Amino acid sequence: EAYFSPSRPETTRAVYSVTKSVVSALVGIAIAQGSLDGVNHRILGDYPEVKVAAGDPRRNLSVEDVLTMSSGMEWSDNTDIGRLEGSGDPVKFLLNRPWAAAPGTTFVYNSGAPTLLTALLQKATGKGAQEYAAQNLFGPIGISNVFWTTHATGVQTGGYGIWMTTGDLARFGYLYLREGNWKGRQVLPARWVKASFEKHIDPHMEGEKRSGYGYLWWLQTHGTVAAQGMGGQYILLLPAQDLEVVITSDLSGRDFQRPYDLYESFLLPAIKSNGPLAANPTQVSRLTKVIHDVGQP
């Protein structure tokens, strides 16, 4: 664990799209508790005020379609997030977007649609996503220092907006690495973790190191599953090696892929065994010195 000035262990960071993976966990918990009836739940049924024609594809929009980035909504993060933020009512704005494809058929990365899930969670549980998470996810695994942006309607943003510490990101990732179990308590259903890490759709992103998409989790190279956010925020899980790597960064443009490149090019080839670090004290000493020297103000 290393922090470079001015960051410290207690520094909270904007983790951007890692928020999506947190929302996925909350959906899984709500389904397990019976507040939501499953991933096939039709979202439009909760919003009778949104009027659409009989054959409109929005009628078939399900929770799973949002979890897999296949809502069918016409969307571009570059232009539509600003419009969403300025709309006043994010749910109304999202459900009244033009629809480009049948739900469940086409992957389009969409940082707006997960707000439909936080809104649905609020309707289903009677609690905002942050309050629900504090009671059912964050609290049980020891996370308390969280800020989550909220729309004017009182609904937490679903596709981004969480601030938390790097260590707390590691707690969240470790919960998934342990199949939802935290010190003997099943916080997240193991079957939800399994479903989240299954390939539900192909992103078809040329040149990207991604092999598929689960439930708001990326499937990447070498069996790695990732939650990732703009600027280089990463939870990288390699279940086959019982490995978790968490990185928070302040990078711009395409540079935010660099942490994954380092993980793939240096960390993965360095894995020789599951033995303790003390098995190589010379290298540990060298690493500690480098971290200390680079981390000075």
Side-chain angles (χ1 to χ4, degrees), residues 101-232:
T105 62
T106 306
F107 180 95
V108 174
Y109 192 75
N110 185 333
S111 291
T115 293
L116 294 174
L117 299 180
T118 53
L120 189 62
L121 283 166
Q122 189 162 322
K123 273 182 171 285
T125 68
K127 299 170 184 174
Q130 184 166 6
E131 181 185 1
Y132 187 70
Q135 295 176 1
N136 297 282
L137 175 62
F138 294 152
I141 65 176
I143 296 174
S144 59
N145 187 15
V146 176
F147 172 78
W148 197 335
T149 58
T150 305
H151 289 286
T153 55
V155 172
Q156 267 78 53
T157 51
Y160 50 91
I162 286 181
W163 291 65
M164 62 199 308
T165 67
T166 306
D168 284 344
L169 278 182
R171 285 175 178 268
F172 175 66
Y174 192 73
L175 177 68
Y176 272 82
L177 199 61
R178 298 268 73 81
E179 298 181 337
N181 191 283
W182 189 268
K183 298 181 179 180
R185 176 178 176 179
Q186 199 67 39
V187 175
L188 187 62
R191 64 182 179 275
W192 185 259
V193 174
K194 183 176 183 294
S196 298
F197 290 177
E198 291 175 349
K199 181 177 178 178
H200 294 280
I201 196 165
D202 191 335
H204 294 295
M205 301 179 77
E206 188 175 348
E208 299 283 357
K209 297 175 181 181
R210 295 162 177 168
S211 61
Y213 201 74
Y215 282 167
L216 299 178
W217 284 84
W218 291 100
L219 312 183
Q220 305 210 175
T221 56
H222 312 289
T224 302
V225 186
Q228 55 185 273
M230 185 176 68

Side-chain angles (χ1 to χ4, degrees), residues 213-254:
Y213 201 74
Y215 282 167
L216 299 178
W217 284 84
W218 291 100
L219 312 183
Q220 305 210 175
T221 56
H222 312 289
T224 302
V225 186
Q228 55 185 273
M230 185 176 68
Q233 324 309 320
Y234 283 89
I235 300 173
L236 301 169
L237 304 177
L238 187 60
Q241 292 287 343
D242 198 25
L243 175 71
E244 177 183 16
V245 177
V246 175
I247 304 169
T248 53
S249 317
D250 287 307
L251 301 170
S252 60
R254 300 297 297 174

Side-chain angles (χ1 to χ4, degrees), residues 283-296:
Q283 295 297 341
V284 171
S285 178
R286 288 181 60 195
L287 177 61
T288 303
K289 184 179 186 306
V290 169
I291 290 170
H292 179 271
D293 291 345
V294 175
Q296 295 306 300

